[in-house]
Amino acid sequence: MQDIKEAEVVLRGRTWWEPEASSSYLLSRLPFGEGMDLLLAFLIQEVKSLLACLGTPEGFEELAYLCFGVDLLSSNSRCLLAENIKIYKREQFLEVADCIDGKAALKGGFILGQQAASSVAPHDPKTASRVSSAGTPCSTSPAIGVYLPSVTMFLPRRKSTVVALVYFIVLSLWYFNYLQPTVGPLLPPTEQQAASHQVASGQEPSAPNAPVPASIDGDDEKASDTPPMSNTETRPSAAAAKPSERYPVQSLIRLPAGPPANVPKIQHSFGTETQKEKAEREQRLTAVKDSFVHSWEGYRKYAWKKDELAPIRGGHATTFGGWGATLVDSLDTLWMMGLIEDFEAAIEVIKEIDLSKVELELLNVFETTIRYLGGLLGAYDLSGGRYPILLDKAKEVGDFLYGAFDTPNRLPVTHWDWEAARKGEEQEAQNGTPLAAVGSLTLEFTRLAQLTKDDKYFDAVQRISDVLDQQQNKTTLPGLWPFIMDAKRGKFDDVGYTLGALADSAYEYLPKQHMLLGGSTQQYQKMYEATLTPITKHIFFRAMNPENEEILVSGSVRVNENAGAIVPDFTGQHLGCFTGGMVGIGAKIFDRPDDLETARRLVDGCIWAYNHTQTGIMPEIFQMVPCKDDLCKWDEDWWLRTVGSRTDKIEEVFQSMTEVAKGRWVAENQRLPQGFSSIPDRKYILRPEAIESVFVFYRITGEKKYQDAAWRMFSAIERYTRTDIANAAIYDVTMTNPPKDDRMESFWLAETLKYFYAIFADPAVLSLDDYVLQTSLLRTRSSIIMTMNSKKSPTTKGDSGHGPAAFEASNPVDIYRSHISELLAPIAQKPAKDIYDRLAWTQTFDKGDLGLAVPSLRVPPKEATAKAAEWSANFPSSDLVEKPVVAGTFLQFFFKPQPLMGLIVPSILRKKTAYGTNPKLGLRDESDPSKGKKRIIVEFSSPNIAKPFHAGHLRSTIIGGFLANLYEAAGWDVLRMNYLGDWGRQFGLLAEAYSMYGSEEKLQKDPIGHLFDIYVAINQVSKPEEDELKEKKEELKKTSEMGKDTTALEREIEQLGSKSVNEKARQYFKRMEDGDDAALALWKRFRDLSIERYKRTYSRLNIRYDEYSGESQVEMERMERAAQQLAKSGVSETSEGAVIVDLTKNPKTKKLGKALVRKKDGSSLYLTRDIGEAVKRHELYQFDKMIYVVASQQDLHLAQLFKILELMDHQDVAEKCQHINFGMVQGMSTRKGTVKFLDDILRDVGEKMHEVMQKNDTKYQQVENPEQTADTLGITAVMVQDMSGKRVNNYEFSLERMTSFEGDTGPYLQYAHARLCSITRKAGLTAEDLEAADLSLLQESHAINLVRALSSWPDVVQNTLKTQEPVTVLAYLFKMTHMLSSSYDVLKVVGSEPEVKKARMALYEAARQVLNNGMKLLGLSPVERSAQGTPDLLHNDLG
């Protein structure tokens, strides 16, 4: 086996000790079988070298006990292992045999290494200088630094465990024996590295020297000012005369020169706190500051001027160039906490930083940028520029790092051989580059460019952004970038996606760069918003938890390149907790209020992970169980089965265990808190990401619970990480007394404690409206953003005083309303708000774009005409509108075409699916989004269980689905509810039918069809029985009237009744009501099968539900309570043994008649259930509105329901309820089994559409999936016919009419959309082409009228909220399609001049987007190709 050589090819020369060095990428590229063999073979080689250095002590010729045996390895690995390492079992190591996953293996390996180290001789300098037989110096031998969290995520569980165990044995053996781990390549050193060691030890070099890797000083004394022994004295200066660039920039990309946009306010408006609240906050603030001071003093005493402090033994580490990373990175925190003396002491050190002395061969450009450049710039901004040395040194660092960009494609070398670059040697960006390493440089370099007025820094990072922009939709998961990039080619070929390690801040920086640039370019908003859909769909997952909290976790996915399948990985990372803050900020600055709820759930997910470990601290990496369904209820058995499935333990005891028992055993032995299915990395390394997002979300919402959560987090961290010197990372957050790791990264002081301090500080400290925050940096944006915010546009609501209907950001026409109102107000001597509210859109364009009825402004009718003329004459000149036209008592306002064109078309192209929606309409308080959305319940469809979904339910389903979409577009929190008819005597009848005619085979094959067949069959039996009983009862009545003896007849009737099917059904239902398990089990089975079948039908109609409720869910106790309350309040009364509510007694409700609440036999009715259910929903969901979408036949029932709720002192419920009624579909039979089922109708219509499509064979052949397209067209035909008239009207179901391509039909609407798609395909233009189009070239009346129609779409949507009629939207869409049809011959695209082509295509794309938006609002699925055969619709599609 070519073990070592093949491994060397892949692994040689990588700096594995850095997280960004892509160990996970490399390992994931090795085939799982031989990759494991190679890595194991290599590790064995390391072990052999190590033992050669140490000498093999007595009794320790073997190294490791693999806790679950070598049988998990391949045969090659077993042979190799047997040859080199004997399986060694010693009594003190037996506890390792209990390990069952990768993390336990790490622990086991660590214990073994510690034990092994104690069995060899103590550290001896002579031993340390030995060279193995292969010539390998001990000081560079050990296999240090595989980034285990990433490795274990991407290797198979069993194999990663073996790797982890062997690796940690080697690592810990070296560590405990030497207490001086050397960070170096994973492979044995090259000759050059060996020679470097010889130089360091006074020997003659046999090859050019190389630098000593970063080291940890083991001295217990206070750190001196002298750097640790290194080769920096013999190395050429990093800041020596620089050679000319090999690839100089020919044309600089300059900072955006346009005016800043109005970036919305982010931070909550905090009120005055009570004295108690202030005292508590300040006490917590002091505790955080004390913790910072404790760690800072430890750093000053033991690691002053060094990169990192070793917080247990008091040494230091050189990890980031040796320039004092912790010192520089912590400057802004020092300033913020008022530690000015310490701040200025650090400034004196910064003056001495010599960039010519670098203590690393390869410099991590990303880490150097965020810790040094970011730290310097943040401190400069925060201190108000009082210390010019900070900017001078920042520029020096920026100039130094700028050399890493001198590559053929100007993408940076992320692990940079700065010395080779200084010599002018060729360099190029690398394949296998982590996304974060290139995508996380923008903020620092951009801010440096802003402060120095030197565009070269901005050019350097903007080129990276442009590459990301160009590649964003070309990856295997469009919208996202893989976490590994081929920077050499500027391409993304990888298939792994995450917002965790290797990718995180590339996404985080997008909204922050938008803020830093003052919103002067839309590029970063566009890129950010393009990521949100795939992130929300594929990366974020809702995690099941015992408290049923609505929490989200940021996971990862891989795309199967062959199958195209997206494979999720439900693994969360502490690092990924930044996402909550990112999404929250994006929601505010990009006006995406819906995203605020996503942000909340992400933040809550991280808080949950903190709250549920034994220490109260979140682990580095963990796994959770994704929700099985929308309800996401806790299922302990499901959790335990998942836990058991994720273990690799092979134990005989498991063979007799159930899956649940196995999971319970694993959870107990691994200390897994409920909710966690695995914890691959149990460390906490003092990370800041969780508290950063908690801080951000607290500042956005003002909700004190996030302050309280932060305090719990801080208290736990302080308790378990504090040392005598500072604070240290811990190994296992699930242990009650976790061991500490002698490491304190700079972000503990620079970020973690900064955010803990800020969340308890006054809200003005580190205001989100004044600063851009980054993981290790803060920068002021006051000079950019705050200046812009202070100059409100004259058309903004803040100046004009407009009413709540003014939403310029969501509705461009509102800009015109505001503008007209302000110009007309002083002329008319009327408030601008009154004018604004009365500006209405017109029905036809010849009457203007907006109209104003002068009398509506309280002008006497006799004076209205004269006033209209006077106001028009005095109306000033405007850039937006023409002088108003007088039409009697009306003023007609016409928008000027070119400004309108320049506003509407780019707005649509930018907003895409969001154009026309206004999420602010659904806010409880528009001025304070933190108060949340209004909630609406839409109850619709509501079929009867175990009966097919027939056309009688069609209208409720279509109309209800539309209303749910409409309110969702308006920003409401919509709960879609299906209130099923799932209770009653009919289920007893169905059970009896199943006992007589049921077939298990048929039930499995077609449950709904079989249940319906037996239901019809049982009714055919019960009908004659009922008829006979009816006849006997009539005979009894006549016999009794004649005075004859009726005893025999009564006995006969009793016998007939007791034997009847209906009596058996009644008795069965009685058993159900009494809670009989067997009866309920069969009922539940019928219910579940019916719901599953309904879901398939609903999905065809683009309908989904959040809850399947039903009559069975209304508790008897609640109904009894309602009845008692009716009686107690005097609303109900007894009448002939029944209980009624007599609404005729009140003249205002006389038409509502008498409502029957309870029958004479005491049984409840639908009304009783509905009362109980309405009250229950209000208590459970706290809704602001509830809509019942029910046919007009139920008008009286629902009117009675609402009135009775009001009389019962539930007026708060009644006034929030609304009945949306509708007429019936005529031409369908619904009795005696002859009903036309909806599935049958959809099948028939789909087949009809397929026949129509086949008439045009040429176009038919172009359709990728004609059967699916025909089905979509058929469904559209049915839905459009249903929505073509007002809801209350009945309509005739006509297959021929609905499937026609002529007239205003569904197929015609789909054809219009498909034709626009065809024009787009043939034009061959890119999105960039359309964005750059010169819209002033659109002078034709067809173009002008089309854009006028497009501008009114947001008004149409808002008006539809008032009408609640689908036809409002449908009529608009048909009107637009007619305009499009008349435009194609005039506004041709193909064959026109290039610039004209772009402009027309931009207009058509805007029209297609609006048409698409409207169709989706109606619940339709727009098609992109439509093969149809109607002659007058056959065009060349050239536009």
Side-chain angles (χ1 to χ4, degrees):
M1 187 180 74
Q2 298 178 350
D3 42 33
I4 304 303
K5 289 189 178 295
E6 193 168 346
E8 283 182 353
V9 171
V10 182
L11 306 174
R12 169 71 71 184
R14 295 285 174 178
T15 353
W16 287 69
W17 57 275
E18 294 170 353
E20 291 77 13
S22 187
S23 60
S24 60
Y25 169 74
L26 291 173
L27 291 177
S28 65
R29 284 301 174 276
L30 294 173
F32 283 147
E34 66 180 85
M36 177 61 204
D37 294 343
L38 292 177
L39 191 54
L40 180 62
F42 162 69
L43 287 169
I44 290 169
Q45 179 74 5
E46 286 287 347
V47 170
K48 291 167 69 176
S49 298
L50 179 60
L51 292 177
C53 290
L54 297 176
T56 306
E58 184 71 24
F60 193 68
E61 59 182 348
E62 305 89 4
L63 179 65
Y65 169 60
L66 298 181
C67 63
F68 39 80
V70 296
D71 57 308
L72 299 184
L73 306 175
S74 70
S75 58
N76 285 336
S77 288
R78 288 200 298 270
C79 293
L80 189 66
L81 190 64
E83 290 174 6
N84 293 276
I85 303 176
K86 296 181 181 179
I87 304 304
Y88 180 56
K89 299 183 180 180
R90 291 175 61 176
E91 193 64 28
Q92 60 263 48
F93 299 162
L94 289 182
E95 62 181 284
V96 182
D98 291 333
C99 70
I100 55 176
D101 70 355
K103 183 60 188 180
L106 301 190
K107 176 189 173 186
F110 197 83
I111 294 171
L112 284 169
Q114 191 172 18
Q115 295 281 359
S118 66
S119 70
V120 300
H123 171 60
D124 181 352
K126 295 181 180 180
T127 304
S129 64
R130 287 183 191 165
V131 178
S132 71
S133 57
T136 305
C138 296
S139 59
T140 56
S141 173
I144 294 293
V146 176
Y147 186 52
L148 257 298
S150 291
V151 175
T152 55
M153 281 175 61
F154 290 96
L155 283 178
R157 291 189 301 274
R158 292 179 174 178
K159 293 172 181 176
S160 64
T161 302
V162 179
V163 173
L165 178 65
V166 177
Y167 162 72
F168 258 70
I169 291 169
V170 177
L171 170 60
S172 55
L173 176 62
W174 183 265
Y175 178 87
F176 283 107
N177 190 60
Y178 283 92
L179 295 178
Q180 188 180 4
T182 300
V183 180
L186 180 61
L187 291 175
T190 61
E191 292 181 3
Q192 182 180 10
Q193 292 169 327
S196 173
H197 174 78
Q198 291 172 328
V199 169
S201 57
Q203 303 175 41
E204 287 294 322
S206 56
N209 67 311
V212 173
S215 62
I216 298 179
D217 188 346
D219 293 342
D220 292 328
E221 303 298 326
K222 179 178 176 180
S224 67
D225 292 343
T226 306
M229 181 178 292
S230 70
N231 283 353
T232 52
E233 290 78 12
T234 63
R235 184 180 301 142
S237 167
K242 302 185 183 74
S244 59
E245 289 188 292
R246 296 179 67 91
Y247 303 101
V249 175
Q250 300 301 316
S251 177
L252 279 177
I253 301 174
R254 303 192 180 278
L255 283 162
N262 187 16
V263 177
K265 185 176 183 292
I266 300 174
Q267 186 154 300
H268 175 76
S269 297
F270 288 87
T272 303
E273 59 186 342
T274 65
Q275 286 298 319
K276 181 180 179 181
E277 290 171 337
K278 182 178 181 181
E280 179 186 63
R281 177 179 61 78
E282 291 182 344
Q283 176 268 324
R284 293 173 174 181
L285 187 73
T286 300
V288 175
K289 183 175 180 179
D290 288 346
S291 178
F292 178 91
V293 170
H294 173 69
S295 289
W296 178 255
E297 289 179 349
Y299 172 73
R300 288 202 64 167
K301 181 176 181 180
Y302 295 104
W304 188 237
K305 304 182 184 181
K306 308 303 179 186
D307 285 347
E308 289 180 1
L309 166 69
I312 297 175
R313 59 188 173 78
H316 67 267
T318 301
T319 49
F320 300 112
W323 300 322
T326 295
L327 183 147
V328 177
D329 210 4
S330 304
L331 285 169
D332 52 7
T333 312
L334 288 166
W335 183 269
M336 187 173 70
M337 291 185 177
L339 301 172
I340 306 304
E341 184 177 338
D342 290 282
F343 180 88
E344 292 183 340
I347 292 287
E348 294 304 312
V349 175
I350 286 170
K351 293 177 181 178
E352 302 171 4
I353 290 179
D354 185 356
L355 296 183
S356 69
K357 296 180 180 180
V358 186
E359 299 181 23
L360 296 174
E361 178 184 9
L362 296 180
L363 201 65
N364 188 314
V365 172
F366 163 67
E367 294 287 357
T368 306
T369 298
I370 64 171
R371 296 178 195 259
Y372 292 107
L373 183 56
L376 292 165
L377 290 172
Y380 178 81
D381 276 332
L382 196 60
S383 60
R386 301 179 201 178
Y387 303 89
I389 182 61
L390 294 172
L391 183 58
D392 293 342
K393 191 61 68 173
K395 187 176 186 304
E396 187 179 339
V397 174
D399 288 338
F400 175 53
L401 294 175
Y402 190 73
F405 293 82
D406 186 18
T407 63
N409 61 3
R410 298 299 300 180
L411 295 183
V413 182
T414 55
H415 290 82
W416 183 40
D417 187 341
W418 58 270
E419 186 175 346
R422 183 200 60 78
K423 295 176 181 177
E425 294 180 10
E426 177 77 16
Q427 62 180 12
E428 58 184 3
Q430 300 143 334
N431 186 8
T433 297
L435 170 64
V438 292
S440 307
L441 309 174
T442 49
L443 291 178
E444 292 81 3
F445 277 85
T446 297
R447 187 59 181 150
L448 184 60
Q450 291 172 338
L451 291 173
T452 62
K453 312 299 182 186
D454 191 338
D455 286 320
K456 77 174 185 180
Y457 305 116
F458 178 71
D459 173 275
V461 291
Q462 184 58 35
R463 292 177 186 274
I464 301 172
S465 298
D466 288 343
V467 170
L468 296 180
D469 193 358
Q470 294 160 11
Q471 292 288 311
Q472 187 168 19
N473 291 315
K474 298 178 182 179
T475 64
T476 53
L477 188 55
L480 302 183
W481 303 279
F483 58 79
I484 295 299
M485 177 186 187
D486 182 352
K488 181 177 180 180
R489 296 166 49 236
K491 300 289 185 182
F492 289 91
D493 300 321
D494 200 74
V495 295
Y497 298 84
T498 182
L499 267 67
L502 309 180
D504 50 332
S505 44
Y507 293 94
E508 178 191 4
Y509 276 25
L510 296 175
K512 294 180 177 180
Q513 179 76 344
H514 177 87
M515 288 193 291
L516 189 63
L517 292 173
S520 56
T521 171
Q522 297 303 308
Q523 181 182 22
Y524 292 94
Q525 178 177 356
K526 182 192 75 171
M527 293 165 69
Y528 170 78
E529 291 183 332
T531 67
L532 257 289
T533 297
I535 285 174
T536 304
K537 182 177 182 181
H538 300 297
I539 302 292
F540 297 158
F541 68 93
R542 186 177 174 188
M544 186 178 72
N545 61 89
E547 297 78 17
N548 295 318
E549 293 185 31
E550 294 188 16
I551 61 173
L552 292 177
V553 177
S554 183
S556 58
V557 296
R558 295 187 72 82
V559 177
N560 186 313
E561 294 177 278
N562 297 323
I566 296 174
V567 183
D569 183 348
F570 304 111
T571 301
Q573 302 180 39
H574 194 294
L575 186 66
C577 277
F578 79 90
T579 53
M582 176 190 75
V583 176
I585 289 174
K588 299 291 288 186
I589 65 173
F590 299 136
D591 192 23
R592 299 170 61 94
D594 285 353
D595 291 349
L596 210 56
E597 184 59 29
T598 301
R600 179 188 297 277
R601 294 179 181 184
L602 287 164
V603 174
D604 288 349
C606 293
I607 293 173
W608 185 95
Y610 264 83
N611 289 342
H612 286 75
T613 66
Q614 288 81 340
T615 56
I617 303 175
M618 182 182 186
E620 278 292 292
I621 297 177
F622 60 94
Q623 293 176 326
M624 294 187 72
V625 183
C627 295
K628 296 188 294 184
D629 51 39
D630 292 341
L631 295 178
C632 197
K633 299 297 184 184
W634 172 249
D635 184 336
E636 184 168 345
D637 285 357
W638 178 254
W639 168 67
L640 290 171
R641 283 194 292 269
T642 305
V643 170
S645 70
R646 287 181 174 172
T647 180
D648 302 309
K649 182 67 176 174
I650 298 177
E651 285 283 345
E652 291 184 5
V653 66
F654 279 1
Q655 297 176 6
S656 61
M657 285 186 179
T658 64
E659 288 295 320
V660 171
K662 179 181 177 182
R664 182 171 288 108
W665 190 95
V666 172
E668 291 174 356
N669 282 271
Q670 289 191 14
R671 300 184 303 280
L672 284 181
Q674 283 193 331
F676 292 102
S677 58
S678 177
I679 307 181
D681 188 349
R682 302 180 178 225
K683 267 189 161 187
Y684 172 66
I685 62 172
L686 307 175
R687 281 196 182 278
E689 293 80 14
I691 181 55
E692 176 188 6
S693 282
V694 173
F695 159 71
V696 169
F697 204 72
Y698 167 69
R699 287 292 183 87
I700 289 175
T701 65
E703 296 178 29
K704 188 177 181 298
K705 69 177 184 179
Y706 291 104
Q707 267 191 329
D708 294 337
W711 179 245
R712 292 194 304 270
M713 293 162 63
F714 171 78
S715 300
I717 292 170
E718 182 72 357
R719 176 182 177 185
Y720 289 104
T721 69
R722 191 177 180 98
T723 72
D724 292 339
I725 296 173
N727 291 72
I730 56 176
Y731 279 106
D732 192 339
V733 299
T734 69
M735 297 177 67
T736 54
N737 187 24
K740 295 180 177 67
D741 182 13
D742 199 11
R743 186 80 185 272
M744 185 187 84
E745 291 206 42
S746 68
F747 50 59
W748 167 244
L749 296 176
E751 302 175 65
T752 308
L753 288 176
K754 176 169 64 188
Y755 293 124
F756 275 123
Y757 185 85
I759 199 170
F760 300 122
D762 186 278
V765 175
L766 213 63
S767 168
L768 298 183
D769 294 319
D770 295 337
Y771 297 96
V772 175
L773 305 176
Q774 180 265 342
T775 49
S776 58
L777 171 68
L778 55 89
R779 274 174 296 272
T780 180
R781 61 178 184 142
S782 56
S783 60
I784 305 168
I785 307 299
M786 294 306 290
T787 301
M788 167 198 59
N789 285 345
S790 66
K791 299 177 180 178
K792 292 183 179 177
S793 165
T795 61
T796 61
K797 183 171 51 182
D799 283 347
S800 64
H802 303 149
F807 296 102
E808 289 93 336
S810 301
N811 185 356
V813 174
D814 281 351
I815 295 175
Y816 287 83
R817 287 190 174 93
S818 299
H819 181 67
I820 293 169
S821 301
E822 289 168 356
L823 293 181
L824 191 58
I827 300 168
Q829 296 298 301
K830 302 290 182 182
K833 179 183 183 303
D834 291 353
I835 298 172
Y836 182 97
D837 290 341
R838 289 160 178 78
L839 284 169
W841 56 312
T842 61
Q843 294 297 319
T844 55
F845 289 147
D846 61 316
K847 296 180 180 178
D849 296 287
L850 290 174
L852 176 67
V854 175
S856 69
L857 290 169
R858 294 180 296 281
V859 174
K862 293 182 179 179
E863 302 176 13
T865 302
K867 284 292 183 183
E870 176 190 335
W871 294 354
S872 175
N874 293 323
F875 196 84
S877 176
S878 164
D879 293 332
L880 297 182
V881 295
E882 307 286 359
K883 187 175 284 291
V885 175
V886 179
T889 60
F890 284 83
L891 287 178
Q892 298 171 348
F893 295 90
F894 291 82
F895 300 161
K896 288 187 175 180
Q898 287 311 308
L900 182 68
M901 193 80 69
L903 175 67
I904 299 300
V905 174
S907 178
I908 297 172
L909 296 180
R910 183 178 67 254
K911 293 183 178 179
K912 299 186 184 303
T913 56
Y915 181 71
T917 65
N918 185 0
K920 290 184 178 179
L921 293 172
L923 295 176
R924 286 197 167 95
D925 182 349
E926 180 201 335
S927 65
D928 186 3
S930 67
K931 293 182 179 178
K933 302 178 182 180
K934 292 181 283 188
R935 172 169 287 181
I936 183 173
I937 296 176
V938 183
E939 179 198 299
F940 62 107
S941 191
S942 304
N944 292 314
I945 284 296
K947 293 183 181 180
F949 189 116
H950 60 76
H953 301 292
L954 178 66
R955 300 214 70 188
S956 175
T957 304
I958 292 174
I959 295 168
F962 162 72
L963 290 172
N965 294 342
L966 179 67
Y967 278 92
E968 208 161 52
W972 286 62
D973 179 9
V974 179
L975 191 148
R976 295 166 169 85
M977 181 176 289
N978 202 336
Y979 187 64
L980 302 168
D982 64 350
W983 200 249
R985 189 185 65 84
Q986 70 269 24
F987 285 96
L989 199 60
L990 190 64
E992 185 65 20
Y994 191 70
S995 69
M996 296 171 62
Y997 310 111
S999 165
E1000 182 64 24
E1001 181 181 353
K1002 291 180 179 179
L1003 184 67
Q1004 292 293 336
K1005 184 176 181 181
D1006 181 16
I1008 298 299
H1010 182 56
L1011 291 176
F1012 180 72
D1013 289 343
I1014 65 173
Y1015 190 75
V1016 171
I1018 198 70
N1019 274 284
Q1020 291 173 351
V1021 173
S1022 65
K1023 183 64 167 62
E1025 292 179 346
E1026 290 298 307
D1027 291 344
E1028 184 179 2
L1029 272 171
K1030 183 177 181 181
E1031 290 175 3
K1032 293 294 182 183
K1033 288 178 180 180
E1034 287 294 329
E1035 184 181 347
L1036 176 66
K1037 182 179 180 182
K1038 292 177 181 179
T1039 302
S1040 178
E1041 289 173 350
M1042 293 169 62
K1044 295 181 179 181
D1045 183 18
T1046 60
T1047 304
L1049 198 54
E1050 288 175 356
R1051 187 180 302 112
E1052 183 181 0
I1053 291 173
E1054 183 181 354
Q1055 290 176 348
L1056 286 173
S1058 64
K1059 295 178 180 178
S1060 69
V1061 169
N1062 279 328
E1063 176 60 22
K1064 293 178 181 177
R1066 188 193 67 78
Q1067 293 175 3
Y1068 192 94
F1069 180 62
K1070 180 67 168 54
R1071 288 168 53 201
M1072 289 171 55
E1073 288 188 310
D1074 292 341
D1076 181 81
D1077 290 341
L1080 287 174
L1082 186 61
W1083 163 82
K1084 186 177 185 301
R1085 190 177 184 208
F1086 292 163
R1087 185 182 194 273
D1088 293 345
L1089 287 171
S1090 296
I1091 289 175
E1092 286 305 312
R1093 185 63 187 86
Y1094 292 150
K1095 285 181 178 179
R1096 292 200 293 272
T1097 300
Y1098 290 136
S1099 67
R1100 297 182 68 190
L1101 299 171
N1102 292 325
I1103 299 292
R1104 62 178 175 84
Y1105 287 95
D1106 301 296
E1107 182 173 331
Y1108 283 87
S1109 183
E1111 298 168 11
S1112 64
Q1113 307 302 303
V1114 184
E1115 302 92 342
M1116 186 65 68
E1117 179 187 352
R1118 190 173 287 276
M1119 289 189 289
E1120 287 296 331
R1121 197 185 313 153
Q1124 291 171 9
Q1125 189 175 353
L1126 282 169
K1128 185 177 181 181
S1129 60
V1131 175
S1132 66
E1133 60 187 71
T1134 302
S1135 175
E1136 299 180 0
V1139 180
I1140 67 167
V1141 176
D1142 189 354
L1143 298 170
T1144 62
K1145 294 179 178 180
N1146 187 328
K1148 294 182 179 180
T1149 61
K1150 187 175 182 179
K1151 292 182 179 180
L1152 296 181
K1154 298 178 180 181
L1156 183 61
V1157 176
R1158 178 170 288 176
K1159 291 182 180 181
K1160 294 180 181 179
D1161 61 4
S1163 59
S1164 59
L1165 295 171
Y1166 288 117
L1167 185 59
T1168 318
R1169 291 182 182 278
D1170 288 346
I1171 292 170
E1173 177 68 9
V1175 175
K1176 173 185 174 181
R1177 291 179 190 176
H1178 193 258
E1179 293 173 355
L1180 185 62
Y1181 298 109
Q1182 294 296 305
F1183 59 78
D1184 298 276
K1185 187 180 186 69
M1186 180 162 64
I1187 291 177
Y1188 296 85
V1189 186
V1190 184
S1192 54
Q1193 287 95 325
Q1194 299 295 324
D1195 284 354
L1196 177 61
H1197 171 77
L1198 287 163
Q1200 290 176 337
L1201 170 64
F1202 300 160
K1203 189 61 184 178
I1204 292 172
L1205 283 169
E1206 181 183 328
L1207 295 174
M1208 294 174 64
D1209 293 329
H1210 288 303
Q1211 186 171 354
D1212 58 331
V1213 180
E1215 65 187 10
K1216 296 176 182 178
C1217 295
Q1218 181 185 6
H1219 175 206
I1220 296 292
N1221 61 359
F1222 53 85
M1224 298 304 295
V1225 184
Q1226 298 173 338
M1228 295 183 181
S1229 174
T1230 59
R1231 295 184 178 179
K1232 300 178 183 179
T1234 59
V1235 63
K1236 289 184 179 178
F1237 304 142
L1238 182 61
D1239 283 338
D1240 297 332
I1241 294 168
L1242 297 181
R1243 184 197 61 234
D1244 293 345
V1245 177
E1247 290 176 353
K1248 176 71 174 178
M1249 292 309 313
H1250 199 198
E1251 293 173 7
V1252 174
M1253 290 167 57
Q1254 288 175 317
K1255 293 178 181 178
N1256 187 332
D1257 186 65
T1258 301
K1259 290 192 175 183
Y1260 182 82
Q1261 297 302 325
Q1262 297 174 3
V1263 180
E1264 292 182 4
N1265 190 336
E1267 291 81 6
Q1268 179 62 47
T1269 301
D1271 184 66
T1272 301
L1273 291 174
I1275 291 170
T1276 303
V1278 172
M1279 295 178 71
V1280 167
Q1281 184 180 60
D1282 188 271
M1283 294 184 284
S1284 293
K1286 288 199 169 183
R1287 287 185 283 101
V1288 295
N1289 297 336
N1290 300 336
Y1291 73 89
E1292 187 75 26
F1293 190 88
S1294 171
L1295 187 63
E1296 290 299 322
R1297 169 70 184 136
M1298 73 171 66
T1299 57
S1300 173
F1301 276 96
E1302 297 180 354
D1304 291 346
T1305 65
Y1308 176 78
L1309 194 63
Q1310 288 283 17
Y1311 168 75
H1313 183 269
R1315 187 173 185 189
L1316 286 169
C1317 293
S1318 173
I1319 295 172
T1320 301
R1321 287 192 297 271
K1322 293 178 181 179
L1325 297 175
T1326 65
E1328 290 75 16
D1329 292 333
L1330 303 187
E1331 289 175 2
D1334 182 1
L1335 300 176
S1336 66
L1337 299 175
L1338 299 174
Q1339 301 284 341
E1340 301 84 354
S1341 61
H1342 288 78
I1344 293 169
N1345 285 336
L1346 183 55
V1347 81
R1348 292 171 74 188
L1350 297 177
S1351 72
S1352 65
W1353 170 240
D1355 269 353
V1356 172
V1357 177
Q1358 192 162 336
N1359 186 54
T1360 307
L1361 280 168
K1362 300 174 183 176
T1363 68
Q1364 296 178 313
E1365 293 277 2
V1367 71
T1368 307
V1369 172
L1370 196 60
Y1372 168 83
L1373 296 182
F1374 280 128
K1375 177 182 177 181
M1376 193 175 72
T1377 59
H1378 299 159
M1379 296 178 68
L1380 281 165
S1381 182
S1382 66
S1383 300
Y1384 290 139
D1385 290 335
V1386 179
L1387 304 175
K1388 291 183 176 294
V1389 173
V1390 178
S1392 58
E1393 293 295 325
E1395 292 305 313
V1396 174
K1397 176 181 178 180
K1398 291 180 183 178
R1400 290 177 177 174
M1401 194 60 243
L1403 178 61
Y1404 281 143
E1405 173 56 23
R1408 186 207 64 77
Q1409 186 66 66
V1410 172
L1411 183 59
N1412 186 284
N1413 292 356
M1415 293 173 71
K1416 288 181 176 177
L1417 187 64
L1418 292 171
L1420 308 177
S1421 298
V1423 299
E1424 296 187 2
R1425 292 183 185 270
S1426 172
Q1428 49 77 33
T1430 310
D1432 62 332
L1433 290 179
L1434 291 175
H1435 299 283
N1436 292 327
D1437 285 342
L1438 298 178

